[in-house]
Amino acid sequence: MEFSFPAAGFQDISAFHPLRLLIEHAPTAIALFDPDLRYIIASRRWLEDYGLSDRNIIGQCHYDIFPEIGEEWKAIHQQCLQGAIERREEEAFPRADGSIDWLKWEV
Protein backbone atom coordinates (compact mmCIF):
# COMPACT_ATOMS: atom_id res chain seq x y z
CA MET A 1 0.00 0.00 0.00
CA GLU A 2 1.40 3.40 -0.94
CA PHE A 3 0.68 6.61 0.95
CA SER A 4 1.41 10.12 -0.14
CA PHE A 5 0.93 13.46 1.55
CA PRO A 6 0.56 16.78 -0.24
CA ALA A 7 3.83 18.73 -0.31
CA ALA A 8 2.64 21.59 1.87
CA GLY A 9 0.31 22.19 4.77
CA PHE A 10 -0.74 20.25 7.85
CA GLN A 11 -2.48 16.97 7.10
CA ASP A 12 -4.92 15.02 9.22
CA ILE A 13 -3.54 11.50 9.15
CA SER A 14 -6.85 9.96 10.23
CA ALA A 15 -7.58 9.47 6.53
CA PHE A 16 -4.56 7.14 6.39
CA HIS A 17 -5.86 4.71 9.00
CA PRO A 18 -3.45 1.77 8.38
CA LEU A 19 -0.42 4.06 8.52
CA ARG A 20 -1.72 5.75 11.66
CA LEU A 21 -2.12 2.41 13.41
CA LEU A 22 1.32 1.23 12.32
CA ILE A 23 3.03 4.35 13.66
CA GLU A 24 1.01 4.66 16.87
CA HIS A 25 1.82 1.10 17.90
CA ALA A 26 5.42 0.94 16.67
CA PRO A 27 7.86 -0.28 19.32
CA THR A 28 10.21 2.61 18.53
CA ALA A 29 9.91 6.36 18.88
CA ILE A 30 8.58 7.67 15.55
CA ALA A 31 7.12 11.04 14.59
CA LEU A 32 5.98 12.40 11.23
CA PHE A 33 5.97 16.13 10.51
CA ASP A 34 4.62 18.40 7.81
CA PRO A 35 7.02 20.78 5.99
CA ASP A 36 6.57 23.36 8.78
CA LEU A 37 7.61 20.71 11.35
CA ARG A 38 4.14 20.43 12.83
CA TYR A 39 3.32 16.99 14.14
CA ILE A 40 1.18 14.83 11.89
CA ILE A 41 1.46 11.78 14.15
CA ALA A 42 3.73 10.37 16.83
CA SER A 43 4.07 6.85 18.16
CA ARG A 44 3.10 6.07 21.73
CA ARG A 45 6.77 5.32 22.37
CA TRP A 46 7.72 8.85 21.17
CA LEU A 47 5.20 10.36 23.55
CA GLU A 48 6.42 8.20 26.45
CA ASP A 49 10.13 8.71 25.77
CA TYR A 50 9.77 12.50 25.67
CA GLY A 51 7.28 12.85 28.53
CA LEU A 52 4.46 13.95 26.25
CA SER A 53 1.85 11.27 26.99
CA ASP A 54 -0.42 13.80 28.69
CA ARG A 55 -0.37 16.27 25.77
CA ASN A 56 -1.99 16.46 22.35
CA ILE A 57 0.90 17.48 20.11
CA ILE A 58 -0.78 16.91 16.75
CA GLY A 59 -0.63 20.11 14.70
CA GLN A 60 1.88 21.74 17.04
CA CYS A 61 5.33 22.84 15.92
CA HIS A 62 8.22 20.59 17.01
CA TYR A 63 10.14 23.70 18.17
CA ASP A 64 7.26 24.77 20.41
CA ILE A 65 7.27 21.34 22.04
CA PHE A 66 11.08 21.37 22.36
CA PRO A 67 12.16 25.03 22.60
CA GLU A 68 15.65 23.93 23.66
CA ILE A 69 16.44 22.64 20.14
CA GLY A 70 19.49 24.54 18.93
CA GLU A 71 20.36 26.07 15.59
CA GLU A 72 22.52 23.09 14.57
CA TRP A 73 19.57 20.70 14.78
CA LYS A 74 17.27 23.20 13.09
CA ALA A 75 19.71 23.36 10.17
CA ILE A 76 19.76 19.55 10.01
CA HIS A 77 15.96 19.48 9.96
CA GLN A 78 15.90 21.94 7.05
CA GLN A 79 18.47 19.90 5.10
CA CYS A 80 16.42 16.76 5.65
CA LEU A 81 13.26 18.49 4.47
CA GLN A 82 15.19 18.99 1.22
CA GLY A 83 15.95 15.26 0.99
CA ALA A 84 19.15 14.78 2.99
CA ILE A 85 19.42 11.87 5.40
CA GLU A 86 21.23 12.45 8.69
CA ARG A 87 21.81 10.07 11.58
CA ARG A 88 23.71 9.89 14.84
CA GLU A 89 24.54 6.79 16.85
CA GLU A 90 24.78 8.79 20.06
CA GLU A 91 24.12 12.44 20.73
CA ALA A 92 23.41 14.46 23.83
CA PHE A 93 20.18 16.48 23.85
CA PRO A 94 20.32 19.01 26.71
CA ARG A 95 16.78 19.60 27.93
CA ALA A 96 15.26 22.82 29.23
CA ASP A 97 15.07 21.34 32.75
CA GLY A 98 18.85 20.75 32.82
CA SER A 99 18.68 17.01 32.19
CA ILE A 100 20.38 15.35 29.23
CA ASP A 101 18.74 12.80 26.96
CA TRP A 102 21.11 10.55 25.00
CA LEU A 103 19.67 9.90 21.58
CA LYS A 104 20.25 7.62 18.64
CA TRP A 105 18.38 9.21 15.73
CA GLU A 106 17.81 9.30 12.01
CA VAL A 107 16.04 11.99 10.00
Side-chain angles (χ1 to χ4, degrees), residues 67-68 94-99:
E68 62 269 39
R95 303 298 305 273
D97 66 4
S99 65

Side-chain angles (χ1 to χ4, degrees), residues 62-86:
H62 185 58
Y63 303 135
D64 292 338
I65 302 296
F66 297 103
E68 62 269 39
I69 290 177
E71 293 305 314
E72 179 184 358
W73 281 17
K74 289 178 181 180
I76 289 170
H77 295 157
Q78 291 306 307
Q79 292 167 4
C80 292
L81 285 169
Q82 300 301 314
I85 297 174
E86 296 285 339

Side-chain angles (χ1 to χ4, degrees), residues 26-98:
T28 59
I30 299 172
L32 294 180
F33 303 92
D34 73 6
D36 295 318
L37 288 177
R38 290 179 296 198
Y39 283 86
I40 295 172
I41 192 166
S43 66
R44 291 178 182 174
R45 179 70 182 264
W46 178 280
L47 298 173
E48 291 169 9
D49 285 359
Y50 293 106
L52 302 170
S53 296
D54 62 338
R55 298 175 65 179
N56 179 9
I57 62 172
I58 304 307
Q60 294 186 44
C61 179
H62 185 58
Y63 303 135
D64 292 338
I65 302 296
F66 297 103
E68 62 269 39
I69 290 177
E71 293 305 314
E72 179 184 358
W73 281 17
K74 289 178 181 180
I76 289 170
H77 295 157
Q78 291 306 307
Q79 292 167 4
C80 292
L81 285 169
Q82 300 301 314
I85 297 174
E86 296 285 339
R87 65 181 60 83
R88 300 291 185 277
E89 290 299 316
E90 185 176 66
E91 184 161 357
F93 177 36
R95 303 298 305 273
D97 66 4

